[in-house]
Amino acid sequence: MAPEPLPRRLAAIFYADVAGYSRLTGTDEDATHRALSAHLDLISNAVAAHRGRVMHYAGDAVLARFDAVVDALRCAVEVQGELALRNRDLPEERRLEFRIGVNLGDVIEDRGDIYGDGVNVSARLEALADPGGICISEAVRSAVGSRLKLGYEYLGEKQVKNIAEPVKAFRVLIDGAAEMKTEMVSPESPTLERPDKPSIAVLPFENLSADPEQEYFADGVTEDIITALSSVQSFFVIARNSTFSYKGKAVDVKRVGRELGVHYVMEGSVRKAGQRVRVTAQLLDAVTGQHIWADRYDGALDDIFDLQDQITATVVGAIEPYLNRAEFERIKQKRPDSLDAYNLTLRGLQAMNELNPHSTARALQLFYKAIEADPNYARAYVCASWCYRRHVQLRGMTLAKKDKDECIRLANTSLKVDDTDPYIL
């Protein structure tokens, strides 16, 4: 019997190494080693402060792992800013500068260390960086988006050692220590300007079921509520990717309001037992932290859509009491005829959001099963289409013509079935 494969997980990998260390040791080895030790301590402290973990040191190099890619890049910028300040008053021949590479990819965790192409790519990116600079992969650039106030320069596709496919690399544009300190987002995060119209962030609902594998169901309920509220034209609703960054964390509502720039925060829980489901929800004022309302919704699993409508209607009524009834009727999404199709789609979404090629392939199979269970469920078609886009995102490869044609067919079919669902649009 073949051995079980080692578990893999998606992580942000931070790799820092000194530029020109051997040159410096030739002038004053003891002084250089003391400076290096101080710099390594600085990096270690910065990694811990940004919720990362140093995996190992290799001479003058540091390898660290982060769960959140924004934390990894923020840490890299802070490190380079602090090192630039330390080097500012030193003669050039005494400056100890680091290169940093940041990647987002699959890693194997074993015996307290990490391995795999995700790690190797981060080391290759470090080699492409300038002394005192940062180089990141396309996966990092896409994941970070505009959340950090930084510039990026595309360096092209780089063929690097021991990596089969070319790596699309970006230089992070940071101009001096002072600019880095003001342009980066601080660990406390900035206060975003709140929009004029009612704005709300729906945090991931907690899974209170006895079975931890029901996590997908709680996430699915959360996503459906986000989608329903997004359909209300007078609302500003934070996207799923932003609110799910708080999943599994103890959060302060006021801080969430500042970081996401919203007036209201909604949170809750889902308990699924057999054919019964209980959803609790509460709405809070993100400015004052005060409760606006809290309620509990019980019903049969077949009534899950009615429960979601009740929650959405309550939110609408609490925030916009004069909202036109026709507006609420419009937010009701097209429901699947088969509860199996809905369940399969939620499982597929959970797999797809694990952000690795194996899980994305499993998600695609689940979405096709959902389509087979209910050929008129538009959401299953569009999720299947999105799997092909994820394939490009995670592997950095273009689609074969037959896959591209299938991706477009699925997307067009979802629009034909339901051209009003904001998830599809």
Side-chain angles (χ1 to χ4, degrees):
M1 178 180 288
E4 287 289 324
L6 291 171
R8 296 173 180 267
R9 60 171 297 180
L10 187 72
I13 306 99
F14 168 111
Y15 189 88
D17 199 359
V18 175
Y21 181 66
S22 59
R23 170 183 59 83
L24 293 170
T25 54
T27 57
D28 188 337
E29 186 173 358
D30 289 344
T32 300
H33 182 72
R34 286 194 297 270
L36 175 62
S37 295
H39 289 356
L40 292 178
D41 287 343
L42 182 156
I43 294 173
S44 300
N45 292 335
V47 168
H50 289 86
R51 297 176 287 278
R53 177 185 171 194
V54 173
M55 304 308 296
H56 72 238
Y57 300 93
D60 50 10
V62 181
L63 175 66
R65 193 212 78 195
F66 294 79
D67 290 328
V69 68
V70 171
D71 288 340
L73 185 53
R74 183 182 288 149
C75 177
V77 173
E78 182 172 291
V79 165
Q80 293 294 33
E82 184 61 34
L83 290 177
L85 288 175
R86 292 189 178 190
N87 283 323
R88 184 173 56 188
D89 297 327
L90 294 176
E92 187 173 349
E93 65 274 10
R94 296 300 312 150
R95 291 177 182 176
L96 200 58
E97 295 179 307
F98 278 76
R99 298 184 178 97
I100 299 178
V102 181
N103 182 39
L104 177 65
D106 279 342
V107 297
I108 299 170
E109 294 199 33
D110 185 34
R111 301 180 186 181
D113 209 341
I114 53 175
Y115 310 90
D117 280 353
V119 175
N120 295 336
V121 169
S122 67
R124 303 298 176 250
L125 290 167
E126 176 272 323
L128 295 173
D130 298 323
I134 304 166
C135 191
I136 62 175
S137 64
E138 183 185 35
V140 172
R141 177 69 188 92
S142 298
V144 170
S146 59
R147 285 185 283 176
L148 297 180
K149 295 180 180 178
L150 297 166
Y152 306 91
E153 178 187 354
Y154 180 49
L155 301 179
E157 294 188 354
K158 302 293 184 179
Q159 192 70 52
V160 296
K161 183 180 178 181
N162 295 333
I163 303 296
E165 298 292 332
V167 174
K168 294 182 179 179
F170 291 79
R171 177 186 292 118
V172 180
L173 302 178
I174 41 180
D175 300 321
E179 287 79 3
M180 282 189 281
K181 284 290 185 181
T182 57
E183 286 299 302
M184 65 175 287
V185 178
S186 71
E188 292 301 316
S189 296
T191 298
L192 296 184
E193 183 178 350
R194 291 182 171 90
D196 293 334
K197 58 184 179 180
S199 53
I200 183 170
V202 182
L203 298 181
F205 278 33
E206 185 180 0
N207 171 37
L208 296 183
S209 304
D211 181 4
E213 291 189 2
Q214 293 297 325
E215 193 78 20
Y216 79 93
F217 191 81
D219 289 350
V221 170
T222 308
E223 293 199 37
D224 280 345
I225 293 172
I226 292 173
T227 299
L229 289 172
S230 299
S231 300
V232 182
Q233 292 179 348
S234 56
F235 276 11
F236 176 84
V237 183
I238 296 297
R240 178 246 189 235
N241 285 351
S242 295
T243 58
F244 269 66
S245 65
Y246 296 93
K247 184 176 173 65
K249 301 177 182 177
V251 296
D252 176 73
V253 171
K254 292 183 181 179
R255 181 173 178 177
V256 173
R258 290 193 304 269
E259 291 179 349
L260 298 181
V262 294
H263 297 91
Y264 306 98
V265 171
M266 183 179 178
E267 58 185 15
S269 63
V270 176
R271 185 188 300 274
K272 181 170 173 275
Q275 293 301 305
R276 301 290 298 177
V277 62
R278 169 176 291 178
V279 180
T280 62
Q282 59 178 349
L283 188 68
L284 304 105
D285 187 312
V287 179
T288 66
Q290 294 181 336
H291 282 72
I292 297 175
W293 63 259
D295 212 339
R296 185 180 74 191
Y297 306 84
D298 291 285
L301 188 57
D302 290 344
D303 298 331
I304 184 63
F305 307 113
D306 291 330
L307 295 182
Q308 290 171 4
D309 284 345
Q310 290 176 39
I311 295 169
T312 304
T314 308
V315 173
V316 170
I319 299 177
E320 284 283 295
Y322 304 109
L323 195 68
N324 192 300
R325 176 66 184 175
E327 180 79 359
F328 173 63
E329 290 297 329
R330 191 177 60 80
I331 74 174
K332 290 186 178 179
Q333 57 190 322
K334 182 175 176 61
R335 299 168 174 175
D337 296 327
S338 163
L339 195 60
D340 285 343
Y342 179 71
N343 197 49
L344 287 163
T345 300
L346 293 189
R347 289 184 181 275
L349 282 168
Q350 181 194 40
M352 186 169 67
N353 288 325
E354 290 177 11
L355 292 176
N356 65 69
H358 176 73
S359 295
T360 301
R362 186 170 77 252
L364 184 59
Q365 293 176 346
L366 290 166
F367 293 138
Y368 276 125
K369 287 182 179 179
I371 292 169
E372 184 178 348
D374 183 359
N376 293 315
Y377 188 30
R379 184 75 62 87
Y381 286 99
V382 79
C383 289
S385 174
W386 193 252
C387 281
Y388 287 98
R389 184 251 189 251
R390 276 279 158 82
H391 176 78
V392 174
Q393 175 189 9
L394 296 173
R395 293 186 179 276
M397 300 163 58
T398 57
L399 289 176
K401 185 178 185 307
K402 64 180 182 63
D403 291 330
K404 183 184 291 186
D405 291 344
E406 176 65 359
C407 175
I408 294 171
R409 182 192 73 81
L410 289 163
N412 286 335
T413 302
S414 70
L415 279 172
K416 290 177 182 176
V417 175
D418 185 3
D419 63 359
T420 63
D421 186 339
Y423 196 96
I424 294 168
L425 297 176

